Amino acid sequence: MGPIVLSTCLSRVSESAARTAKELSATTGAPLHVVYAIEPSTGLTGDAAMVARESARARQESELRGALEAFCIRCGIEVDLTTRRILSGSIAEEVAAYAADVAASLVVVGTSASTGVTAALLGSVADEIMRRCPAPVLIVRQDLLRGCAARPAG
């Protein structure tokens, strides 16, 4: 069985997905990979701008690695059992490419389940990942998990 890939935005929405991915990993024995993809900023041009972007990207990547590690700790994901990656580019494309590269058996993403005009105009990163990904995608809605967590097991 290939790894389970958790795509996170490091938010509370992603914490719900992280709990689900962690449980699936423990149940199936599949390794858990945690990825955070960031879209590079655009708009700057010229050599000086390229140097500035590279410097900013190096600082940002270092900060993001720390934030990703903190996210894993906050979610109870064992750092030594997890592969963590910072990806740069279109979020959906990068997550799909990573899933293909590691032959993922499942990709887990969180969503706040936006509806209405916001969802229609902006779309959903989770939906885009689902359309592009070569592996099955489990989309975890934050609001549903909150309700389930309050119910006693049994």
Side-chain angles (χ1 to χ4, degrees), residues 6-19 71 75 110-111:
L6 168 65
S7 175
T8 178
C9 63
L10 308 177
S11 71
R12 295 286 178 206
V13 172
S14 289
E15 288 179 15
S16 297
R19 284 191 296 275
F71 174 83
C75 294
T111 184

Side-chain angles (χ1 to χ4, degrees), residues 18-149:
R19 284 191 296 275
T20 300
K22 178 184 168 188
E23 290 172 13
L24 288 169
S25 174
T27 301
T28 63
L32 180 59
H33 293 216
V34 182
V35 299
Y36 176 79
I38 184 166
E39 295 200 30
S41 60
T42 59
L44 299 175
T45 59
D47 291 340
M50 185 170 50
V51 171
R53 278 194 306 267
E54 289 300 319
S55 175
R57 185 179 7 239
R59 279 193 316 274
Q60 184 180 39
E61 189 167 319
S62 175
E63 292 170 8
L64 288 173
R65 286 190 191 288
L68 186 55
E69 181 175 5
F71 174 83
C72 289
I73 291 168
R74 188 169 69 237
C75 294
I77 297 172
E78 296 289 330
V79 175
D80 62 332
L81 299 177
T82 303
T83 300
R84 292 173 287 156
R85 295 280 190 271
I86 304 292
L87 309 173
S88 180
S90 163
I91 296 170
E93 289 176 12
E94 291 298 319
V95 171
Y98 184 84
D101 287 348
V102 298
S105 59
L106 180 68
V107 174
V108 180
V109 298
T111 184
S112 60
S114 298
T115 59
V117 175
T118 302
L121 292 176
L122 299 177
S124 164
V125 172
D127 289 339
E128 186 68 19
I129 290 171
M130 184 180 63
R131 283 192 291 276
R132 293 179 179 266
C133 199
V137 176
L138 174 61
I139 299 176
V140 180
R141 282 183 46 185
Q142 179 188 25
D143 58 334
L144 290 179
L145 280 181
R146 199 176 312 130
C148 292

